[in-house]
Amino acid sequence: MKALLVIGDGMADRPLKELSGKTPLEVAEKSSLDRIAKDGICGILDPISPGVPPGSDTATLALLGYDALKSYRGRGALEALGSSVEILQGDVAFRCNFATVDENLTVIDRRAGRIETDEASKLAEALQNVRLGSGLTAEILFKNTVQHRAILRLRGQALSRMISDSDPGKTRALTTRFHKILKDHPVNRKRAEKGLPPANIILFRGAGTLPEVEPLPDRYGIKATAITAMPLIKGVCKITGMKLMYVKGATGTYDTDVIAKAKAAIEALKSNDLVLLHVKATDVASHDNNIQQKIEMITKINRMVNHIIKNVDLDETIIAITADHTTSTATKEHEGDPVPIAIQGPNIRTDDIEEFNERVCAKGGLCRIKGKDLMPTIMNFIGKTEKFGA
Ligand SMILES: [Zn+2]
């Protein structure tokens, strides 16, 4: 028996007045998601705990069975790991932005006009081999990723992730050094000539170290693979011992190729016990306050799931569908409301629920569970849990 876990990022929502008090899940065409609800067992799930709005990183950690409140150590190291930066226990990593400051060091553009990746690469090269100074000895690795985004890794003795955004004192020395190098760099002189904002400062945030977790293959004796376009989610999956599958056309944006992702999941199920299939853009639509786009993305997820249902052996596969958290399209924020969950499989009890959405799933047979209960639930269905007691 195999398991597929489909996560629509921020797919759950709150009632929207534009939809006459319904949620996007209640109005979108999603017959295949409804079929999973109808043939399986449903419920609602608090990713962390009732009323706690989770980040995608803590929520995904929870859905993979971990107590995120205990194991989470900040976003930076997970994002770095997911961006192919080597991170070891003890390293501190930050998410960074190339930004623009004026002569008074006031930030005037947090993304440096969304500088292009190859220009950022040239600037990043100039920032290697900078020393921290002021009593802190650490090896520095600075790597740009996409556009204005970058990763800073500090490696050294007794570093703490508490050298963070909230304690700028210790990172100020490095900021100043980077600024001195960047402000007169030829790339920025050219940008100034073209009237573009210079990428003359690096902003640090999300300091983090790796969480210490027992990997899924050790915990359950399984092989697991994840399909996601998001560096942060890649990092979470990597640290939990999942392999990552690259899918051409998977972008993390509205144009993502869901059929390519479906095909990849079908392929991955052949050689894995657990496959996680993550789609980001439902969350993006809510952050963009775009109701129609969110409905369209739910329909795309439905098409993806439909392709999978038609092409896997449902006698040998259980399929679970949920969201990592609620993102309200009205507030444009993650909220602490529970999310719907449906699990279908040959040996799974059913209930009377026939639709996949926030309202109806709340009446389902799984009742209300926590995020960290989901993985044991799935592992139980595929025969990978051990008896507790004699
Ligand atoms: Zn999320």
Side-chain angles (χ1 to χ4, degrees):
M1 199 64 70
K2 314 276 176 102
L4 172 69
L5 171 58
V6 180
I7 300 176
D9 203 305
M11 183 161 63
D13 212 310
R14 286 177 169 176
L16 294 165
K17 64 176 188 315
E18 294 87 343
L19 301 178
S20 309
K22 292 189 169 170
T23 67
L25 267 176
E26 285 182 283
V27 300
E29 200 294 301
K30 47 162 184 54
S31 50
S32 294
L33 307 189
D34 290 342
R35 185 180 152 189
I36 291 174
K38 185 171 189 295
D39 294 349
I41 193 162
C42 299
I44 51 174
L45 176 154
D46 291 294
I48 303 297
S49 205
V52 176
S56 294
D57 46 6
T58 53
T60 306
L61 262 179
L63 293 177
L64 292 173
Y66 300 96
D67 186 344
L69 291 170
K70 283 191 186 142
S71 55
Y72 185 62
R73 300 280 180 275
R75 175 170 182 157
L78 292 169
E79 183 128 353
L81 194 64
S83 308
S84 302
V85 173
E86 184 203 55
I87 300 286
L88 303 176
Q89 290 293 347
D91 291 348
V92 178
F94 298 76
R95 314 159 61 201
C96 307
N97 271 16
F98 283 93
T100 306
V101 288
D102 62 15
E103 315 80 69
N104 305 320
L105 296 182
T106 304
V107 177
I108 50 175
D109 185 339
R110 295 189 63 82
R111 299 184 181 90
R114 291 192 187 269
I115 183 169
E116 281 177 24
T117 304
D118 47 328
E119 280 187 316
S121 298
K122 285 179 195 143
L123 293 173
E125 234 168 74
L127 300 180
Q128 307 304 326
N129 308 316
V130 171
R131 288 179 194 285
L132 260 178
S134 65
L136 267 175
T137 50
E139 179 197 321
I140 290 171
L141 179 111
F142 185 87
K143 187 190 175 209
N144 66 302
T145 55
V146 179
Q147 292 183 321
H148 55 278
R149 300 182 191 91
I151 300 286
L152 172 72
R153 183 192 73 193
L154 302 180
R155 178 171 286 174
Q157 284 179 328
L159 283 170
S160 158
R161 78 184 163 98
M162 295 309 166
I163 44 171
S164 68
D165 0 83
S166 55
D167 177 13
K170 294 197 179 95
T171 50
R172 196 170 294 145
L174 193 56
T175 307
T176 309
R177 267 155 230 256
F178 280 178
H179 175 60
K180 272 187 191 145
I181 295 167
L182 290 173
K183 68 180 171 39
D184 299 320
H185 194 282
V187 165
N188 277 329
R189 278 203 217 119
K190 264 192 204 151
R191 285 180 69 79
E193 280 165 26
K194 288 187 211 155
L196 295 168
N200 57 10
I201 204 151
I202 305 294
L203 304 178
F204 308 105
R205 61 208 165 106
T209 57
L210 289 179
E212 284 184 53
V213 294
E214 183 190 18
L216 291 170
D218 299 345
R219 189 178 261 195
Y220 295 112
I222 57 167
K223 281 175 77 179
T225 287
I227 297 164
T228 173
M230 295 305 294
L232 180 62
I233 305 301
K234 284 183 186 175
V236 171
C237 293
K238 245 185 184 175
I239 195 68
T240 58
M242 303 185 91
K243 294 240 156 45
L244 298 177
M245 196 168 180
Y246 170 76
V247 179
K248 192 166 180 279
T251 59
T253 55
Y254 299 135
D255 65 358
T256 196
D257 185 345
V258 286
I259 298 302
K261 292 184 93 158
K263 286 178 178 164
I266 294 162
E267 194 55 36
L269 279 165
K270 290 176 187 164
S271 55
N272 286 276
D273 303 290
L274 171 70
V275 175
L276 185 156
L277 179 52
H278 172 260
V279 177
K280 175 66 184 170
T282 29
D283 183 59
V284 178
S286 286
H287 288 299
D288 287 349
N289 188 223
N290 190 334
I291 298 170
Q292 283 314 313
Q293 194 63 256
K294 186 157 188 183
I295 293 170
E296 169 58 22
M297 276 314 299
I298 292 169
T299 302
K300 278 186 87 166
I301 290 174
N302 182 67
R303 282 205 292 278
M304 178 179 81
V305 170
N306 182 52
H307 187 87
I308 293 167
I309 289 176
K310 282 191 179 147
N311 289 285
V312 296
D313 181 357
L314 292 176
D315 288 332
E316 287 298 324
T317 314
I318 79 148
I319 301 176
I321 171 117
T322 191
D324 57 346
H325 48 78
T326 294
T327 309
S328 163
T329 311
T331 65
K332 303 192 275 180
E333 299 288 347
H334 296 191
E335 303 291 355
D337 311 45
V339 300
I341 164 84
I343 313 175
Q344 174 215 49
N347 51 6
I348 297 177
R349 295 177 196 165
T350 57
D351 52 24
D352 297 329
I353 304 305
E354 300 191 346
E355 273 178 76
F356 181 76
N357 62 49
E358 301 85 348
R359 184 188 308 258
V360 183
C361 285
K363 291 182 268 183
L366 273 177
C367 302
R368 186 168 185 161
I369 63 172
K370 282 198 178 181
K372 67 186 167 71
D373 297 329
L374 178 64
M375 198 43 58
T377 303
I378 290 173
M379 289 299 127
N380 174 48
F381 289 146
I382 66 168
K384 294 290 181 187
T385 40
E386 277 175 23
K387 182 159 68 177
F388 174 59

